[in-house]
Amino acid sequence: MKQLYKYLFAAVLILQLTACNNNTDAEQLFQDTPTARLNKQKSELNDALLSSQYGWKTVYFTDNTVLGGYTHLFRFADDGTVQMASDFDADTATYKSEYAIQVGSTVSLTFTTKNRIHLLSDSDNYPIPALRAKGYLGDFQFLYYGQENGEIIFRTNRSNQELRFVKATAEDWTELPKNLLMEKNVIGGEERPLFRLLETNDGTTTHKFDFSFTAVTRFANSNSIENGYSVSYDMGIGYTPTGIVVSPAVEVGGQKLSNFTYNDADGSFTATGTGGVSAVIEYTDKPLVLTDDYKFLLPGKPLSWFGFFVDDYTIDSPTNSPLFYAELEKVNAALPAGQRIASIEIYANHSIGTFVYYTFVGRGALQHHVTVQEDAAGKKAILKHKSWNGNTTVATPAFLASIDKYFMDPEGIYVKAESFRLFYSDPVYTFTSASSPFRMTTWKLN
């Protein structure tokens, strides 16, 4: 038995000596102290930041459940300065500031002096009331998580979201202003239809969704219009010189589509996968879902009062169309100095009839009395001229002629109860010309 113990002891000793002389990679790694490992990562990040000839680019989606993406370009120098530009707003110029690679519990890239990136973290700079005191939810310190396929991987310090820097090109810098030109295409020009849809194709089946975009947040909502199909896509949108990038990606047929290319001929944006998979954002001439909300205007119904007010929250509604704003400007331009339009209100089935009520600063109000006909098949109301202020022989005032014709559209107007509110609890309704991209947003005030 003693002899057996001797052999066992000798075997264990040999194994220990062999292990000591054959270090694994993992053991070699842990020979470094934590401080040494952090310093190694700091040097690695520093070398990476300085390695790209034209710097780095990222499209920063601070919170893709409520906000879109903002392109930032960085060119780092070894003296601790950085040249930076962004498409946050119309100012796409390049500005110089300072950065630091800081070592704490981890290695981080911190933009230490104010530059474009800080516009996203300023709590006093917020796009909508819901983000008051929160700003654009951005960060200016990014924790280093390594590199992959030539990209630098970070996580934001406060929200722990992944953010990747990709190598920028010379064209990224010179073409950055084109991002803001693309924004106009996403919003849609005065000549484009007001209604949009998202159509997906998984290679065999297509589905249609409504599509609405809010420019101030760069965010879009898209919900299925098909009964029994409850899929929806809510996405942040970032601009590129040739189209848009969305986050989260639109998933179709198991493929994630995030890069959409713009087609100026029809105003569409298309993302293409493989095997016939695609997603297209495109215009349509009428609402995808027609409602009965127009019936408020029909004769015999109770009094309904709708109001748009220049000096209140209705002026800022994202559902007002560019053409509507342009027509307001035409009215003001045609009025004498010191006068301007103040409100447009629609009274249906008032004791004195149904009329469009225009009020002004510096002059008296005007009432355009109308009759209302129903287009039941098209779910529209057709307003027809009756009189101005009760006088059937007076012509439409010249300064109102351009805007008023949209309410008198022979094709009718669509009326829709919107799902959102404009600060107050009053329901929001939109009035849309059936034959032109004219849409006004109102409160229902009774």
Side-chain angles (χ1 to χ4, degrees), residues 375-438:
D375 177 354
K379 293 186 179 292
K380 296 175 289 187
I382 301 172
L383 278 55
K384 294 191 173 184
H385 167 75
K386 184 177 179 182
S387 71
W388 281 95
N389 286 6
N391 189 332
T392 59
T393 63
V394 174
T396 300
F399 60 86
L400 285 177
S402 184
I403 195 170
D404 188 73
K405 71 176 182 288
Y406 295 105
F407 296 107
M408 305 299 118
D409 187 343
E411 297 296 318
I413 55 175
Y414 297 107
V415 182
K416 181 186 176 185
E418 301 292 345
S419 60
F420 61 88
R421 294 291 183 267
L422 293 171
F423 189 78
Y424 304 117
S425 61
D426 302 275
V428 175
Y429 281 72
T430 52
F431 290 76
T432 305
S433 166
S435 65
S436 64
F438 177 92

Side-chain angles (χ1 to χ4, degrees), residues 214 216 308-320 325 422 441:
T214 303
V216 71
F308 163 84
F309 302 91
V310 171
D311 292 331
D312 216 327
Y313 293 97
T314 48
I315 189 69
D316 295 320
S317 174
T319 46
N320 291 324
Y325 287 128
L422 293 171
T441 308

Side-chain angles (χ1 to χ4, degrees), residues 338-402:
Q339 297 181 15
R340 59 182 176 84
I341 194 166
S343 73
I344 302 174
E345 301 164 54
I346 297 176
Y347 288 83
N349 301 299
H350 190 277
S351 60
I352 61 171
T354 294
F355 54 93
V356 182
Y357 187 59
Y358 297 95
T359 70
F360 305 88
V361 173
R363 68 177 299 139
L366 291 170
Q367 298 174 5
H368 190 179
H369 289 260
V370 299
T371 59
V372 181
Q373 294 182 357
E374 180 182 14
D375 177 354
K379 293 186 179 292
K380 296 175 289 187
I382 301 172
L383 278 55
K384 294 191 173 184
H385 167 75
K386 184 177 179 182
S387 71
W388 281 95
N389 286 6
N391 189 332
T392 59
T393 63
V394 174
T396 300
F399 60 86
L400 285 177
S402 184

Side-chain angles (χ1 to χ4, degrees), residues 10 17 60 140 180 182 193 202 208 213 226 243 256 265 272 287 317 379 403 435:
L17 290 171
Y60 187 7
F140 54 87
L180 280 306
M182 188 56 62
D202 64 6
K208 292 185 178 181
F213 172 70
E226 303 168 18
K256 293 184 177 181
T272 304
S317 174
K379 293 186 179 292
I403 195 170
S435 65

Side-chain angles (χ1 to χ4, degrees), residues 255-257 271-279:
Q255 300 180 38
K256 293 184 177 181
L257 307 177
T272 304
T274 60
V277 170
S278 65

Side-chain angles (χ1 to χ4, degrees), residues 205-278:
T205 306
T206 61
H207 292 288
K208 292 185 178 181
F209 308 77
D210 62 16
F211 184 87
S212 62
F213 172 70
T214 303
V216 71
T217 53
R218 299 189 182 183
F219 197 77
N221 303 100
S222 195
N223 302 294
S224 173
I225 63 170
E226 303 168 18
N227 292 329
Y229 189 72
S230 58
V231 173
S232 63
Y233 297 104
D234 294 335
M235 65 195 87
I237 290 181
Y239 310 131
T240 73
T242 59
I244 58 175
V245 56
V246 304
S247 178
V250 176
E251 188 164 349
V252 184
Q255 300 180 38
K256 293 184 177 181
L257 307 177
S258 57
N259 293 293
F260 288 71
T261 301
Y262 177 64
N263 179 2
D264 190 55
D266 60 8
S268 64
F269 292 83
T270 301
T272 304
T274 60
V277 170
S278 65

